[in-house]
Amino acid sequence: MFPQIPLAQQILLACKAKGIRHIVLSPGSRNAPLTIGFASDSFFNAYSIVDERCAAFFALGLAQQLREPVVVVCTSGSALLNYYPAVSEAYYSNIPLVVISADRPASKIDIGDGQTIHQRHALALHTAYNANLSEEEQDLNYNTYLLNEALNTAALKCLPVHINAPFEEPLYQTLPAPTVSFHNEVGLKKPVLLNTEKLLQFAKDWNYPKKMVLIGVLPTDAIAQKWFDWLEKDPSILVLTESTANVVADTFIGMIDTFLAPIEKRQLQELLRPDVLISIGGMVVSKKIKEFLRKYPPQAHYYIDEHVGYDTFFALTHHFKTDINTFLETVSPELPPVSSDYKEVWLPLYKETLEKRTAFLADVPFSDMVAYKAILERTPTPYHIQISNSAAIRYAQLFPAKAGWQVFCNRGTSGIDGCTSTAIGASVVQATPTLLITGDLSFFYNSNALWCNYIPKNLKIIVVNNAGGGIFRILPTDKGTPFFETFQETTHSLTAKHLCAMYGFTYLCAQNQEELTKTLETFFSQYESPMLLEVFTPRELNNTILKDYFNVLS
């Protein structure tokens, strides 16, 4: 079944020609031609999600895991603007989200027609391409060009794009076959030519004895075993990783903030300062490493990533726009072994810090810290883990990751707004069980995410509920002001129990360490239905314990 409108047919044929199968639809009239076409064609996997913000983050979760374009379709008007948080996240996380918005014809804009706004270029600052299509039949060839450009851009650049499609009524008429065709122009990835002069400079800088490799967001197995071993063995390289780097090794420093805690007090900053910094992957969570490298910048900073090359530390020398495996394959023959004690000096200090950490955690009262310790120690492998922003990802960084985990977090814009929807979308196409670890504000903010018919039975959610925005007690805010609890911490007495009853989740809760330990056994052993575990922690104790943690390590 095809919509009668030729432009709608073109869009459907374009998506099919590009092999885009996953389509997330939100209800509406103006987008009915697309809904009819996508939902009635077995080539596509069509999902129906009412809330457009949730729909866009759900689609982002799909694209995050599939590493291919996913389409999200909405009706005209403000529906499109609800996509913006997910679009900006996709833009800064290099996720190929394809937004298709139905629109009124140009003649209906600004005449008082309902559900009508300026949609052309509405997402332009955070999209890699904007295709403003025409409803006129004489423009079909130009539409073909725009659709090819938009969809090829999404696939090749791994960035979001926006396709705006005006449809005139009638909207619901159908045909058994299309009346137009689509000429598919295959997008070709241009070979990356690495700057020879910069490669020579990199090889020269390699002779420095102190090299720090900082690994941000990476998909699992992004670094080939050959180069993984190479990084481990080089005595002049100190490797710092985050939970979202999905890289685990005994000689890598996996808890950056914990490692850095004693550096300042012992006045070891100059000794630690790298001569050369090599960044791999996407965003970095740790504020401590950002502060350190901005205050003690390296002599040279090279960023190696296919997409991004951030000058986070205001010392960027060059961005090699390729993946780490290709880069090292190219440059390694020119890199001589370097005599150094850089790794040898810092790994014992890290080990000593971890011993202090173990002693401290053994005697901590029940709190966020204890809850995250229990959760992360008892999460089995293999597991696909999504972590919400704010306090949740920061606490996760204080505990070691496990080989066999796949860890993700919406760090592009670091918002709390769509973490649950992203996790649900990701879980739909994940072979391994999915665990979302989230704070209470992030969870309740995005509670419409549970209004979804596609939640797999092996999805598990842990909500650490400290009755407010606990992050604001950690941050250097003035907690003595009369408006702190109401306007910043935003205290509440909400519970997820009733949401679970409404949406068909098995609900568990824990209010102390003994209950949590016991409940986690049940939580990770049952898969008859999606499950949610709500862990209630003391609101006013958590920040004190976190400060004590860093003081003890110092």
Side-chain angles (χ1 to χ4, degrees):
M1 184 187 304
F2 280 82
Q4 189 179 68
I5 297 173
L7 175 56
Q9 295 176 27
Q10 266 195 310
I11 294 170
L12 294 162
L13 293 172
C15 290
K16 183 176 281 192
K18 303 294 182 186
I20 301 174
R21 291 182 174 271
H22 294 269
I23 315 293
V24 182
L25 303 158
S26 290
S29 260
R30 193 59 51 170
N31 62 333
L34 295 174
T35 300
I36 290 167
F38 282 126
S40 62
D41 191 332
S42 60
F43 176 85
F44 300 109
N45 296 315
Y47 309 87
S48 175
I49 296 181
V50 174
D51 183 319
E52 282 90 2
R53 187 179 70 190
C54 293
F57 276 108
F58 179 91
L60 183 136
L62 292 171
Q64 177 198 79
Q65 298 301 307
L66 295 168
R67 302 184 205 174
E68 63 186 43
V70 170
V71 166
V72 58
V73 180
C74 70
T75 191
S76 64
S78 61
L80 170 63
L81 303 183
N82 285 293
Y83 284 167
Y84 217 138
V87 169
S88 60
E89 175 62 35
Y91 185 78
Y92 287 107
S93 290
N94 288 103
I95 294 175
L97 190 66
V98 178
V99 171
I100 303 179
S101 56
D103 198 0
R104 258 51 173 186
S107 60
K108 299 291 179 68
I109 308 297
D110 286 348
I111 65 164
D113 216 24
Q115 207 167 317
T116 307
I117 65 169
H118 291 282
Q119 294 182 202
R120 294 164 60 91
H121 302 292
L123 310 176
L125 290 178
H126 294 91
T127 46
Y129 194 85
N130 285 259
N132 293 296
L133 307 181
S134 170
E135 70 269 33
E136 303 298 333
E137 289 202 32
Q138 65 265 27
D139 293 330
L140 290 180
N141 286 339
Y142 186 55
N143 287 341
T144 295
Y145 166 77
L146 292 175
L147 286 166
N148 271 305
E149 288 293 301
L151 298 178
N152 288 343
T153 297
L156 295 176
K157 293 188 176 181
C158 289
L159 286 170
V161 297
H162 177 204
I163 298 168
N164 193 57
F167 298 134
E168 183 58 280
E169 297 178 4
L171 302 169
Y172 292 89
Q173 279 76 1
T174 61
L175 297 170
T179 57
V180 300
S181 60
F182 176 80
H183 177 68
N184 183 24
E185 293 286 346
V186 178
L188 298 176
K189 196 167 188 176
K190 295 178 181 178
V192 175
L193 299 176
L194 299 179
N195 186 302
T196 304
E197 182 182 341
K198 295 299 182 183
L199 284 171
L200 290 172
Q201 183 63 46
F202 181 88
K204 181 181 177 182
D205 288 339
W206 190 260
N207 289 296
Y208 280 113
K210 297 194 298 180
K211 294 182 283 290
M212 181 181 289
V213 173
L214 179 60
I215 306 180
V217 174
L218 275 183
T220 311
D221 301 326
I223 302 177
Q225 189 63 46
K226 171 183 177 181
W227 303 116
F228 188 91
D229 296 340
W230 184 78
L231 289 169
E232 271 206 283
K233 292 174 183 175
D234 193 314
S236 69
I237 297 176
L238 191 67
V239 180
L240 276 59
T241 73
E242 300 214 303
S243 303
T244 51
N246 292 299
V247 172
V248 178
D250 291 339
T251 61
F252 292 176
I253 291 172
M255 293 178 280
I256 298 173
D257 287 357
T258 297
F259 167 66
L260 291 176
I263 302 299
E264 186 170 357
K265 189 169 184 180
R266 299 189 189 187
Q267 297 185 334
L268 300 173
Q269 298 97 321
E270 283 293 348
L271 188 62
L272 178 62
R273 182 207 294 255
D275 301 314
V276 178
L277 173 66
I278 300 167
S279 293
I280 302 171
M283 294 286 194
V284 171
V285 176
S286 171
K287 290 183 71 174
K288 289 185 182 294
I289 193 63
K290 292 174 187 174
E291 290 169 357
F292 173 77
L293 288 170
R294 286 170 182 168
K295 191 172 182 180
Y296 302 94
Q299 300 206 38
H301 176 203
Y302 295 96
Y303 212 120
I304 304 164
D305 188 87
E306 285 184 276
H307 306 294
V308 299
Y310 297 120
D311 190 11
T312 306
F313 315 111
F314 314 119
L316 187 64
T317 305
H318 187 67
H319 172 206
F320 290 108
K321 204 170 184 179
T322 185
D323 67 277
I324 185 62
N325 301 311
T326 301
F327 177 78
L328 289 177
E329 200 70 58
T330 302
V331 77
S332 61
E334 307 302 322
L335 305 181
V338 177
S339 177
S340 173
D341 64 355
Y342 192 45
K343 182 180 291 185
E344 185 182 338
V345 166
W346 292 106
L347 288 184
L349 177 63
Y350 183 48
K351 183 179 178 182
E352 176 190 321
T353 304
L354 293 184
E355 289 171 354
K356 289 183 178 179
R357 171 185 176 276
T358 300
F360 175 83
L361 293 176
D363 194 33
V364 173
F366 189 66
S367 56
D368 281 358
M369 182 76 80
V370 172
Y372 281 99
K373 178 177 184 290
I375 292 162
L376 293 165
E377 285 182 350
R378 287 166 175 77
T379 300
T381 59
Y383 236 91
H384 163 228
I385 302 174
Q386 295 272 341
I387 304 175
S388 76
N389 276 303
S390 206
I393 187 61
R394 285 176 170 80
Y395 272 112
Q397 298 282 96
L398 302 179
F399 296 91
K402 296 179 185 177
W405 282 355
Q406 303 170 56
V407 182
F408 297 87
C409 178
N410 286 351
R411 289 308 295 176
T413 56
S414 306
I416 68 169
D417 37 7
C419 298
T420 307
S421 293
T422 301
I424 292 172
S427 73
V428 170
V429 290
Q430 256 289 338
T432 53
T434 294
L435 169 66
L436 168 65
I437 304 172
T438 179
D440 49 334
L441 290 196
S442 179
F443 175 75
F444 291 121
Y445 190 96
N446 191 206
S447 61
N448 264 6
L450 304 185
W451 185 10
C452 176
N453 295 323
Y454 312 102
I455 298 174
K457 290 182 179 180
N458 63 2
L459 174 69
K460 298 186 182 297
I461 299 175
I462 297 179
V463 180
V464 179
N465 189 341
N466 53 28
I471 188 68
F472 292 103
R473 286 191 170 270
I474 297 170
L475 296 173
T477 53
D478 186 356
K479 300 162 192 66
T481 59
F483 54 79
F484 172 79
E485 291 186 0
T486 300
F487 294 101
Q488 288 188 283
E489 189 179 25
T490 55
T491 57
H492 65 85
S493 57
L494 300 175
T495 172
K497 183 176 182 179
H498 305 293
L499 286 169
C500 288
M502 184 163 63
Y503 291 118
F505 274 68
T506 298
Y507 176 78
L508 303 171
C509 69
Q511 305 203 44
N512 55 56
Q513 188 166 355
E514 184 180 355
E515 286 182 5
L516 179 57
T517 302
K518 183 177 180 181
T519 305
L520 282 169
E521 293 180 15
T522 303
F523 184 75
F524 283 118
S525 64
Q526 296 182 8
Y527 293 92
E528 291 79 21
S529 68
M531 299 184 76
L532 185 146
L533 167 58
E534 190 167 23
V535 185
F536 296 96
T537 61
R539 179 171 61 87
E540 296 182 353
L541 181 62
N542 296 311
N543 62 310
T544 301
I545 290 174
L546 191 61
K547 286 179 181 177
D548 289 346
Y549 173 80
F550 285 112
N551 287 335
V552 166
L553 298 186
S554 299

